[in-house]
Amino acid sequence: MVNRVVTGAHYGLRDWLIQRITALLMAVYCLALAGYLLLVPRLDYDIWTALYSSQVVRTFTLLFLMSLFYHAWIGIRDIVMDYVKPAGVRLVIHVLVILALLLYVIWSVQILWGY
């Protein structure tokens, strides 16, 4: 008989909850943006510029992107932990994904607030 040692109560519950919250935030943002785009009679550069010149829209866009990146991190991390067995390869993949996601965060801020 094998005794299973649980390292902590509710292991994985926090990540599951964070993925659900980030998915909800992303869905609300997408629905709001889709609603706005459906109500606008025409789409051109001036409309997009006016939309993203608002501090509120840029802030919620950054919140959407941060949610997307964190949601992606949890998903990729879980997949790598489940299917990549060599610890060294897993570490390299984790580091590369973290570096890529941090680069995306910096790039997102530069796009949203860069002039």
Side-chain angles (χ1 to χ4, degrees), residues 1-8 11:
M1 186 163 140
V2 176
N3 290 333
R4 183 171 173 207
V5 177
V6 178
T7 57
Y11 177 75

Side-chain angles (χ1 to χ4, degrees), residues 41-63:
R42 64 175 172 71
L43 287 175
D44 58 9
Y45 178 77
D46 294 332
I47 299 294
W48 284 110
T49 304
L51 176 64
Y52 283 97
S53 66
S54 166
Q55 190 73 16
V56 173
V57 173
R58 284 190 281 185
T59 301
F60 282 117
T61 302
L62 186 61
L63 179 63

Side-chain angles (χ1 to χ4, degrees), residues 5-75:
V5 177
V6 178
T7 57
H10 307 292
Y11 177 75
L13 179 64
R14 181 190 57 156
D15 291 338
W16 179 87
L17 185 62
I18 289 172
Q19 274 208 312
R20 296 323 176 261
I21 291 170
T22 56
L24 180 65
L25 286 169
M26 290 185 293
V28 168
Y29 178 84
C30 288
L31 289 173
L33 186 61
Y36 174 79
L37 296 176
L38 288 174
L39 294 175
V40 173
R42 64 175 172 71
L43 287 175
D44 58 9
Y45 178 77
D46 294 332
I47 299 294
W48 284 110
T49 304
L51 176 64
Y52 283 97
S53 66
S54 166
Q55 190 73 16
V56 173
V57 173
R58 284 190 281 185
T59 301
F60 282 117
T61 302
L62 186 61
L63 179 63
F64 165 80
L65 291 170
M66 297 294 285
S67 297
L68 177 71
F69 301 147
Y70 197 56
H71 188 96
W73 163 245
I74 292 172

